[in-house]
Amino acid sequence: WTAIFLLCSFSVGAKVFPKNFHSEYQLFQKNNNLGRVIVDFNQKNNQYEIKAITKAEGILKLLGDREVVSKGQLSIDGFSPQIFELKNKKKPKKNILAVFDSKDKQVKLTYKQETKNIVLKKMHHDVLTYLYQFNFESLSKKNYIFEVVDGKKSRTYLYNKVRSELVTTSAGSLEADVYEGEIKGKSNSIHYIWVLREPYRIPLKIEIKTDIGINIEQILVKTNLLPVK
C-alpha cells in the first residue's frame, strides 16, 4: 500500500474524494476462501468510472467470475450513474445493461435482449456507487434509503446505524460505523456493512447472504487509500 494519492476538488466538510484508487477484498464463507473482488476507481473532469472484478473460488465458481462497471458524473452531492454494466463471464447471455436517463427520468434496463423502463428516483444508484455514496453523507446521519440497480431489478435498500466499533485491518485498527441493511420486499435480505469513518467513507467489511443461499464475508485486504501500519 502507499499513502500517496491524488485528490480531487469534491469535498463534504473535511472530506475529499480521491481521483483514483485501487482496493481488493477477500471473500470468505467462515474460514473458506471464496475468491477476491478487485475494485478500481478513476475520475476526470467530473466523470467517474468504477470497475469491480470478482474472481470466484470454491462454491462461488457456480456463479462464475463477474465484472461490474459503473460510469457517470461525480459532484459535491456524490454519484449520478449514467451507465451500469454487469458482465457474467460464465453465462454472457445474462449480461445486464442499465442506462440512467436523467432527461426522461427513467432507468432503461436491458436483460436477455429485453428492455424495461424504471422510474428514475432520487438517490438512484447502482450496486457499486451506493457503497461509496456514504462518503458524501453526514457522519451524524443514522438512516439511509437508496434506490439501487443491483442486477436485473431496481430495489429499495434501507440502512440503520447500529453501532460504531474498531475493525482490525492490515492498516491497523480502524473506526467504522456498522449499518444493518435490508432490501425492501426481499426475504432473508438482512445484511451488514462496516463503513470506515475517516479519512474516506468506504466499506471495510460486508456480511451478506448470496442468491445461492450461503453467507459470505467481504473483507478489505488491500487499498492505496490507507497507509500501511
Side-chain angles (χ1 to χ4, degrees), residues 41-108:
F41 171 85
N42 290 282
Q43 76 87 17
K44 184 178 181 180
N45 299 328
N46 300 356
Q47 296 290 315
Y48 77 86
E49 177 180 287
I50 309 176
K51 180 183 292 185
I53 298 174
T54 301
K55 296 184 177 181
E57 297 289 345
I59 195 171
L60 277 192
K61 284 189 175 181
L62 293 173
L63 299 176
D65 293 350
R66 297 187 178 195
E67 179 179 300
V68 183
V69 179
S70 176
K71 300 177 183 179
Q73 293 184 324
L74 184 63
S75 71
I76 58 173
D77 296 319
F79 293 93
S80 297
Q82 295 172 332
I83 300 290
F84 170 75
E85 295 179 88
L86 191 158
K87 299 177 183 179
N88 189 316
K89 301 294 186 178
K90 189 173 184 179
K91 298 178 180 179
K93 289 183 179 181
K94 292 189 174 183
N95 288 355
I96 295 166
L97 172 66
V99 178
F100 292 72
D101 190 332
S102 58
K103 182 178 179 181
D104 291 341
K105 302 295 182 183
Q106 291 184 332
V107 180
K108 299 173 183 178

Side-chain angles (χ1 to χ4, degrees), residues 130-205:
Y130 94 91
L131 291 170
Y132 296 96
Q133 182 62 29
F134 286 97
N135 194 81
F136 297 89
E137 306 293 329
S138 171
L139 272 172
S140 62
K141 192 172 179 178
K142 297 184 183 299
N143 302 297
Y144 296 87
I145 300 177
F146 299 115
E147 296 296 326
V148 179
V149 174
D150 58 4
K152 59 185 178 182
K153 294 183 179 181
S154 183
R155 311 179 204 253
T156 303
Y157 283 51
L158 309 170
Y159 287 95
N160 298 305
K161 181 180 175 180
V162 292
R163 63 184 182 275
S164 294
E165 66 182 29
L166 293 177
V167 178
T168 301
T169 72
S170 299
S173 294
L174 303 174
E175 187 178 5
D177 292 328
V178 186
Y179 295 91
E180 181 182 77
E182 183 177 8
I183 303 172
K184 188 175 180 180
K186 184 177 181 181
S187 60
N188 300 316
S189 65
I190 298 293
H191 57 282
Y192 296 89
I193 299 178
W194 283 253
V195 179
L196 181 66
R197 286 187 64 83
E198 58 181 9
Y200 302 105
R201 299 275 285 161
I202 63 172
L204 290 178
K205 178 180 174 182

Side-chain angles (χ1 to χ4, degrees), residues 117-129:
N117 294 330
I118 301 167
V119 176
L120 181 65
K121 299 179 181 179
K122 184 179 180 180
M123 294 290 283
H124 217 137
H125 292 279
D126 53 60
V127 75
L128 282 179
T129 54

